[in-house]
Amino acid sequence: MPLTRGSSWVGKLLLCTFSFGPLAWTQSVIAQPAHRGNSAHGSPYAKVEALLHAEYLKDKRGGISFGIVRGGKLVCTGNYGYADERKKVVANADTEYPISSITKQFLGLMLLQLADAGRVHLSEPVARYYPDIQEIANPYPWSSPITFVQLATMSAGLPASPFSVNDPDAQGTMDQWEEDLHNTLTHTRYVYEPGTRRLYSNVSYAILAAALERAAGRKFQDYIEQEILKPLRMSKTGFTDRANTKIATGYFLGGFDLPADTPQRQNTEFGYLFPVGGLYSSVNDLAKFMKFELGDGPDSVLSRESLERAFTGVVVSDANFVYGDGIQFSVARNEGSAFVAVGHGGLRVGFTSYLGMDRSTGTGIILLSNTSGGNADYKPLCRRILSMLNPRSRGGTGQAPSESH
């Protein structure tokens, strides 16, 4: 990984790259001359590598790619295992994986952009743009109409999905996702009165995507690709399989293996979930997004003022203040700790992903895996690693406390 333009070799952190297959491994280190010849295990991130290696060995299947962002740079990347076991394709920092629900962060950013442009208002009713939401039978006729901010913060009272995973009604194609969403709404029932409680909801974000399309006057995926991915130079991120692009093969370890064409097959069987979890990306590309989220710009995507305002906005939490959701980010507090990680995780049959930040120290971790359902539990481990990298930090959005009680 090259240093960024204008940077000096002197005084820079060790940049490390690990690449390990399940049966054998090779190792290379990119370092400043003073560190040339040092082993990766002597790097500042040796403990990170060891923890993730140990977690990977719990299943020894598929592969993982991970990266650490610090001080505005991707300072370390590492990989274990295979992006494709049958073809012996080793995972690396450019390997593309489905990032599943991390996609929601990009939809949330689209909402913030349109709100900044005055195309929508966070507190206005979504039905003004997407009247189909009224297909959901409302047992709370006294409540106010659902708003954009309620959808984005998981407080609209809607379920994760009205269908079970294998329900035929949940199947569909990405090209017909809006039609599938309309049909889904007729099966959807409120779980809570809108605006009164948090409940993680994929349906809410699918509705959000449909409403934002109408506000923007173009398909949500075209908008995100042009207004977010392109200015961030995320060339290995997108909603469809591009020419000459190889997507990692997914392996579900809960009882059966997915076929070799799983990533492509799943990409055409999203139904209404397509805008909720349809993005592919790599560690190198997600590092660009993370640096933006940490406040490094560019302002052409969203001004720093608007971004920081979003991180001081509404965060709706569960009853134990462990999990919460704001606009274009989620939060999770480590078990038995005061440390709060900011970002999002993703889970899909055959794939696990996590993007977590400590904005108070400008530190982040990215992990992408082409397995799920096994013994490895990457998300909480990544949050612990994030805390370990800055042991005196309590994490969070990096905003100063605004009040006391």
Side-chain angles (χ1 to χ4, degrees), residues 306-365:
S306 296
L307 180 65
E308 296 307 317
R309 187 167 57 244
F311 280 113
T312 60
V314 175
V315 178
V316 182
S317 173
D318 68 340
N320 292 316
F321 307 103
V322 174
Y323 298 102
D325 288 279
I327 298 176
Q328 67 93 46
F329 69 96
S330 295
V331 294
R333 179 161 55 87
N334 283 355
E335 184 177 354
S337 168
F339 184 86
V340 174
V342 176
H344 217 292
L347 182 64
R348 167 174 157 186
V349 175
F351 301 95
T352 305
S353 55
Y354 184 71
L355 183 152
M357 299 173 288
D358 173 0
R359 293 189 84 250
S360 69
T361 63
T363 307
I365 184 169

Side-chain angles (χ1 to χ4, degrees), residues 103-112 114-115 120-122 124-127 129-130 133 146-154 156 158 177-178 181 185 201-216 218-220 224 272 275-276 326-329:
T103 304
K104 293 182 175 74
Q105 290 195 267
F106 293 83
L107 272 178
L109 183 52
M110 180 180 177
L111 170 59
L112 291 176
L114 292 174
V120 300
H121 300 284
L122 299 179
E124 72 176 317
V126 174
Y129 302 88
Y130 187 64
I133 195 173
I146 289 177
T147 64
F148 281 101
V149 71
Q150 288 174 339
L151 292 176
T153 59
M154 306 294 184
L158 301 177
W177 75 268
E178 289 190 76
L181 174 60
L185 297 184
S201 175
N202 288 316
V203 173
S204 289
Y205 261 76
I207 295 170
L208 179 63
L212 292 179
E213 276 197 344
R214 285 157 175 75
R218 49 180 156 156
K219 292 181 179 180
F220 82 91
I224 288 175
Y272 77 94
V276 174
I327 298 176
Q328 67 93 46
F329 69 96

Side-chain angles (χ1 to χ4, degrees), residues 11 17 28 37 51 61 63 79 126 158 165 198-199 209 232 249-250 301 332 356 358 370 374 377 390 404-405:
T17 301
S28 63
L51 289 170
R61 292 295 310 277
N79 312 274
V126 174
L158 301 177
V165 174
R198 174 193 177 270
L199 181 64
L232 288 178
T249 300
V301 176
D358 173 0
N370 56 333
D377 197 1
N390 295 286
S404 59
H405 297 276

